[in-house]
Amino acid sequence: MKLFWPKDIGFDQAVELMRSKDTFTPFDEEVLLFTKALSKSLVRMRQMPEVVALGYWLRKANIQDMKKKWEEQNKDRLIKPRGIVFHIAPSNVDTIFVYSWMLSLLAGNRNIIRISSKEQKNELLDLILTEIAKPEFENIAKQTIICTYNYEENIGEQISEICHTRVIWGGNDTVKTIRQIPLNPMANELAFPDRFSLAALSAEAVMNMNDNDLDELLEKFYNDVFWFDQMACSSPRLVVWCGKQIEKAKSRFWSAFENKIQKKQYELTAASQVLKYTTSLWLATESEVKHIENSKYFSRIQVTDLPLEARERHCGGGLFYEYEIESLPNLSKVILDKDQTLAYFGFTHSELELLVNSISSRGLDRIVPIGQALNFDGVWDGQSFLKSFTREVVIL
Amino acid sequence: MTIPYHLTKAEKAPLLLEKLNALTELHFERSSEYRSMIEKGGYPTTANNLEEVPYLPVQLFKLMDLVSVPKEEVIKVLTSSGTTGQQVSKIYLDKETSFAQTKTLVEVMKPLLGGKRLPMIILDTKSVLNDRKSFSARGAGILGFSNFGRKHFYALNDDMSLDVEGLKAYLDEYKGQRILLFGFTFMIWQYVYRESLKQGINLDFGDSILIHGGGWKKLKDEAVDSTTFNRLLHDQLGIREVHNYYGMVEQVGSIFVECSNGHLHTPQFADVIIRDTLTFEPLPNGQQGLIQVLSELPKSYPGHSLLTEDLGTIKGEDDCPCGWKGKFFTVAGRIPKAELRGCSDTFQGGKRV
């Protein structure tokens, strides 16, 4: 086990220290100052756009907004934090643990965070450790443990026994494995398994826009897709085309997108190129795949349906399934439980609502304009963090 | 003229193209999976030149079964060597393809080994051959090369220790004769060279010729290249002639073997094309890229044109100082692994981190 925070004491001592302090009240002043300070240093990390996005999310205005909404919702209610929240962070999207932790902290909880041990150098973590060590955040510092450990060490068992909420990030296998570890009977659990995400575009809207607007749209689409090499659960992997001028819209969109990627100097590797090529040929053997096309920056797979297995074969790095529909509600029949985010362009709110109402599976938790697919929010996978991280005390 | 390294580009290309086009056609008809890939990808079944012949990535054989004969005609299944937990390639052979592989291997090696069977030492354990229906890459290699030798002696015990006494006795018995040594590069390095160095065993393999293959990946970590390898083997074991070969379980038989100048050569049955690592466009000689291998042998599975994950460079064609015709090339090693990681990777590669 390696303890990143607190420094110079052991794990058991750290837990004792954590419990020696009262929990914060939701949106405590010290916590607000901490998020503000953290935000300021995160937005400076220009070379890491996902860290900047995190910093932006933590900015004062956004947190105040969150606070205001929370207060409105909980007027006349008595809300308390749950106690100790145990966060198990994924290894790739390393900003996730901060979102999870910050929301829990805003709710007033003590936090134990297990981060992945893989990375030798973690600039984000270094920055956080610098902030939390400042004297003005002493109370937060005492109620925070950031660590990593091997699963053989049974630390996960210990923490699961003492925590009041367990948050599992990291896909189906992780969720299954961690769920075998007994959880404190009083605790609740939030799990974030593998998800799949898509984008839907109105062909007419794509045809009707001018080149500048298209470029702006593609800039946003690029970020949605490539920030995490199309491997984040909310990165679009399926592109749905809707309308009558689909062929024209596709060709306009993809050729402009190719230029965009080229300008962005997206880093391709031999291994990911071979992987995309392999995956596309593998998919070609399925009956619902009509046509495959491999080009330098992306591979396109035309499908007439998208069963779960095809979703699971997706390899990231610029592979797009494409599906055509005449009108948006037709999309509902291909939506599966696994589907999380729909990034859209060219649809009205009522069209989107109609779509949601015609979906009979568990699918779709987020519907956002293209460009916001990766934006983290206090409601994720259909669950509100602030709700799950708190409890309501009833006095009659 | 050294058969099968006797054809110039102008003579070889049309012959090979015709055979490869026929194979594309054959697999297109007999393998519905292959047909889907070609049709849905819009690839030509009749290519106008070798570069146009559609190629499958070798990885694909790890993901799915690709076979162009009825299951009951399969007599052997070859599997690639993979570390534990990795998926392995499965290559299905019928009688015809298996026979063609054996026959071709003989022709490919003949210029180096001659027509007579030599006393043969296999620098490996006999136990890799235990299963007769399913062969690992090591087993398939040993079995293929066994045909060149007689009085086969396996130099490693089942626990990978060197059978020093047995080796000495064997070398005594065939003193003064040319001996064929065969093994896998890493096995030879680890269990023969290093062990004999460690134990201070001095062996003299006399007038022997060593043929070895299987890749340099593990030796690269120790910064051992082929020149060093050859020198150390000469110094420690007295092996005077060493030829590396490049081949893979997905294309057994039509392997590429080093000439006396240390270049890997393409025989008349096979060819290599170097492609840009990002666009897969063919590259001119002298530039490094992904190696595509072509072979006229695979009839029972669609493996006549394969894109490997190895990097190589064509050094020239028809003009190697050794006198052999055809393309000659070098292999620089495997491309680095893909690093794309998903949200689901709290546990990586089966190992809990």
Side-chain angles (χ1 to χ4, degrees):
Chain A
M1 169 174 212
K2 189 171 170 359
L3 218 52
F4 298 104
W5 189 266
K7 296 194 189 289
D8 308 322
I9 58 170
F11 179 71
D12 293 338
Q13 262 179 296
V15 172
E16 228 169 275
L17 182 68
M18 171 178 272
R19 283 171 158 165
S20 72
K21 283 272 160 194
D22 283 342
T23 50
F24 292 108
T25 50
F27 294 94
D28 183 278
E29 217 31 60
E30 182 176 329
V31 173
L32 294 178
L33 286 174
F34 183 62
T35 54
K36 196 175 138 195
L38 206 52
S39 167
K40 275 194 177 150
S41 60
L42 292 176
V43 290
R44 280 189 225 118
M45 305 282 279
R46 291 271 162 234
Q47 71 286 11
M48 295 162 83
E50 69 277 16
V51 173
V52 174
L54 168 65
Y56 194 64
W57 179 80
L58 274 175
R59 75 194 185 282
K60 195 179 168 193
N62 193 41
I63 301 293
Q64 285 301 331
D65 214 33
M66 212 187 288
K67 184 180 177 220
K68 221 174 97 196
K69 271 189 205 144
W70 187 84
E71 282 167 349
E72 276 166 24
Q73 280 165 10
N74 296 297
K75 216 168 28 181
D76 308 324
R77 290 198 179 114
L78 190 51
I79 307 289
K80 296 193 75 177
R82 284 193 170 258
I84 296 177
V85 177
F86 177 22
H87 309 262
I88 298 159
S91 63
N92 70 326
V93 183
D94 49 4
T95 48
I96 280 285
F97 86 86
V98 188
Y99 287 105
S100 191
W101 169 32
M102 287 302 126
L103 285 160
S104 172
L105 189 59
L106 287 166
N109 291 294
R110 304 159 173 151
N111 294 283
I112 303 179
I113 305 144
R114 191 249 176 206
I115 58 173
S116 162
S117 54
K118 238 178 5 229
E119 257 96 271
Q120 290 303 310
K121 209 167 114 45
N122 189 331
E123 288 170 65
L124 175 61
L125 180 64
D126 292 345
L127 204 145
I128 287 167
L129 294 180
T130 311
E131 285 301 323
I132 202 171
K134 290 181 177 164
E136 61 264 41
F137 303 129
E138 192 199 342
N139 290 323
I140 295 171
K142 281 181 179 164
Q143 301 204 36
T144 305
I145 296 176
I146 305 173
C147 64
T148 189
Y149 52 83
N150 290 321
Y151 281 83
E152 295 80 46
E153 291 178 88
N154 294 332
I155 307 285
E157 280 78 348
Q158 279 185 52
I159 307 174
S160 296
E161 185 54 46
I162 60 168
C163 71
H164 302 99
T165 298
R166 183 164 74 179
V167 189
I168 313 169
W169 294 93
N172 291 358
D173 290 343
T174 307
V175 172
K176 277 182 197 157
T177 311
I178 308 271
R179 279 198 171 153
Q180 284 165 20
I181 301 174
L183 179 61
N184 175 357
M186 285 299 297
N188 63 339
E189 182 173 82
L190 295 180
F192 298 93
D194 293 331
R195 301 301 298 269
F196 182 90
S197 292
L198 55 152
L201 295 105
S202 150
E204 279 66 37
V206 168
M207 289 315 293
N208 289 338
M209 68 201 308
N210 65 35
D211 286 350
N212 280 341
D213 291 347
L214 177 64
D215 188 68
E216 214 175 285
L217 176 71
L218 290 169
E219 179 81 24
K220 293 173 178 170
F221 186 67
Y222 176 89
N223 291 342
D224 283 353
V225 172
F226 285 115
W227 267 12
F228 293 106
D229 294 316
Q230 209 184 15
M231 293 299 272
C233 46
S234 54
S235 327
R237 296 170 177 201
L238 162 67
V239 176
V240 178
W241 293 96
C242 179
K244 297 211 155 45
Q245 302 180 61
I246 288 178
E247 280 319 304
K248 276 195 210 155
K250 272 181 172 176
S251 101
R252 183 175 191 213
F253 181 86
W254 290 113
S255 71
F257 191 47
E258 193 161 14
N259 290 333
K260 171 65 68 185
I261 306 174
Q262 201 171 357
K263 278 199 207 107
K264 289 276 182 183
Q265 295 181 307
Y266 177 65
E267 201 189 324
L268 299 165
T269 65
S272 62
Q273 295 300 84
V274 172
L275 187 60
K276 273 188 285 182
Y277 182 56
T278 307
T279 307
S280 70
L281 290 173
W282 188 26
L283 288 162
T285 61
E286 298 299 327
S287 60
E288 64 275 1
V289 171
K290 274 195 304 186
H291 184 70
I292 59 168
E293 191 184 323
N294 290 290
S295 59
K296 182 176 177 185
Y297 292 105
F298 44 76
S299 296
R300 292 167 58 193
I301 316 288
Q302 311 300 323
V303 300
T304 53
D305 189 14
L306 199 60
L308 188 62
E309 205 195 12
R311 281 173 166 81
E312 284 171 356
R313 282 186 188 179
H314 196 281
C315 61
L319 184 98
F320 297 95
Y321 298 111
E322 284 185 89
Y323 181 71
E324 300 178 6
I325 49 175
E326 266 184 43
S327 74
L328 198 59
N330 294 345
L331 180 57
S332 63
K333 61 177 186 292
V334 291
I335 298 294
L336 303 181
D337 286 4
K338 199 183 172 81
D339 299 336
Q340 182 206 54
T341 299
L342 169 68
Y344 65 89
F345 174 73
F347 301 104
T348 62
H349 193 275
S350 57
E351 282 177 292
L352 294 164
E353 225 176 273
L354 198 61
L355 166 67
V356 174
N357 285 331
S358 49
I359 295 170
S360 54
S361 68
R362 157 74 181 76
L364 291 192
D365 292 314
R366 296 174 69 225
I367 299 180
V368 299
I370 284 179
Q372 297 184 25
L374 302 177
N375 291 10
F376 189 78
D377 192 30
V379 177
W380 198 255
D381 282 7
Q383 318 173 72
S384 157
F385 285 97
L386 286 177
K387 246 187 206 142
S388 304
F389 287 154
T390 52
R391 62 193 177 88
E392 183 177 349
V393 181
V394 181
I395 306 178
L396 292 178
Chain B
M1 191 171 89
T2 313
I3 295 171
Y5 305 97
H6 60 299
L7 300 180
T8 61
K9 182 180 183 179
E11 294 163 334
K12 175 178 166 177
L15 291 175
L16 190 59
L17 180 63
E18 198 185 0
K19 287 184 171 148
L20 293 172
N21 275 335
L23 284 169
T24 305
E25 194 70 46
L26 179 138
H27 295 304
F28 186 89
E29 273 166 33
R30 297 192 189 163
S31 160
S32 60
E33 285 85 3
Y34 185 74
R35 182 165 56 243
S36 296
M37 294 176 204
I38 299 298
E39 267 179 352
K40 293 175 187 176
Y43 302 110
T45 46
T46 309
N48 295 308
N49 51 55
L50 293 174
E51 284 77 16
E52 267 182 31
V53 177
Y55 44 88
L56 303 187
V58 287
Q59 262 195 28
L60 207 52
F61 292 87
K62 293 185 178 165
L63 296 172
M64 59 192 303
D65 286 351
L66 288 164
V67 50
S68 304
V69 292
K71 276 262 147 95
E72 57 272 19
E73 285 176 30
V74 172
I75 58 160
K76 255 192 237 171
V77 183
L78 305 179
T79 55
S80 61
S81 56
T83 43
T84 335
Q86 251 182 348
Q87 280 175 297
V88 295
S89 289
K90 285 186 288 328
I91 303 300
Y92 295 89
L93 301 180
D94 66 349
K95 216 167 155 183
E96 188 189 354
T97 301
S98 174
F99 181 74
Q101 288 179 341
T102 311
K103 189 168 153 269
T104 306
L105 187 63
V106 170
E107 292 189 52
V108 167
M109 294 309 298
K110 214 170 181 176
L112 292 178
L113 301 177
K116 239 177 75 193
R117 287 179 172 235
L118 304 172
M120 182 173 182
I121 298 174
I122 293 151
L123 302 166
D124 210 315
T125 72
K126 201 171 184 171
S127 57
V128 273
L129 295 177
N130 279 349
D131 187 347
R132 287 270 155 181
K133 177 95 176 140
S134 168
F135 294 94
S136 63
R138 256 164 73 204
I142 290 168
L143 213 68
F145 274 90
S146 301
N147 296 319
F148 299 106
R150 59 190 170 87
K151 302 280 175 197
H152 304 102
F153 174 76
Y154 288 81
L156 298 182
N157 298 312
D158 282 355
D159 63 355
M160 296 297 182
S161 62
L162 196 57
D163 180 1
V164 183
E165 291 314 307
L167 253 182
K168 280 185 175 157
Y170 191 92
L171 290 173
D172 264 352
E173 193 182 337
Y174 294 97
K175 210 176 180 114
Q177 291 191 43
R178 195 166 191 235
I179 298 174
L180 168 60
L181 308 173
F182 175 77
F184 289 88
T185 314
F186 178 71
M187 303 289 294
I188 296 169
W189 176 255
Q190 182 82 358
Y191 300 108
V192 181
Y193 168 72
R194 275 194 160 168
E195 264 315 293
S196 58
L197 191 70
K198 203 168 103 189
Q199 296 183 31
I201 303 162
N202 274 315
L203 292 167
D204 185 0
F205 282 87
D207 182 21
S208 53
I209 173 169
L210 168 65
I211 309 289
H212 69 104
W216 294 89
K217 206 169 109 200
K218 288 180 182 156
L219 274 77
K220 275 242 162 72
D221 303 339
E222 302 181 32
V224 177
D225 62 7
S226 83
T227 318
T228 318
F229 184 84
N230 293 0
R231 179 170 51 81
L232 292 173
L233 254 59
H234 178 264
D235 294 353
Q236 181 67 24
L237 304 167
I239 300 172
R240 293 161 183 65
E241 193 180 345
V242 180
H243 295 268
N244 184 219
Y245 73 86
Y246 175 66
M248 58 208 72
V249 74
E250 291 85 357
Q251 273 186 4
V252 172
S254 56
I255 61 165
F256 308 96
V257 66
E258 269 178 359
C259 66
S260 49
N261 288 335
H263 291 137
L264 297 160
H265 271 260
T266 60
Q268 69 176 98
F269 323 98
D271 214 342
V272 294
I273 292 168
I274 302 298
R275 293 188 179 272
D276 182 273
T277 54
L278 304 181
T279 62
F280 300 163
E281 289 297 319
L283 291 175
N285 293 355
Q287 287 189 31
Q288 192 184 81
L290 283 170
I291 301 174
Q292 178 194 350
V293 290
L294 298 162
S295 166
E296 63 176 55
L297 304 180
K299 283 192 176 163
S300 55
Y301 65 97
H304 57 300
S305 172
L306 298 173
L307 186 68
T308 72
E309 288 169 61
D310 297 317
L311 294 169
T313 311
I314 294 173
K315 296 289 180 188
E317 184 162 16
D318 298 339
D319 57 356
C320 181
C322 77
W324 292 2
K325 303 295 181 209
K327 285 179 192 157
F328 52 99
F329 65 106
T330 54
V331 178
R334 194 68 55 94
I335 53 171
K337 275 209 163 6
E339 280 291 344
L340 305 180
R341 290 180 292 150
C343 284
S344 52
D345 290 347
T346 303
F347 299 107
Q348 274 255 310
K351 194 179 180 308
R352 293 165 173 198
V353 290

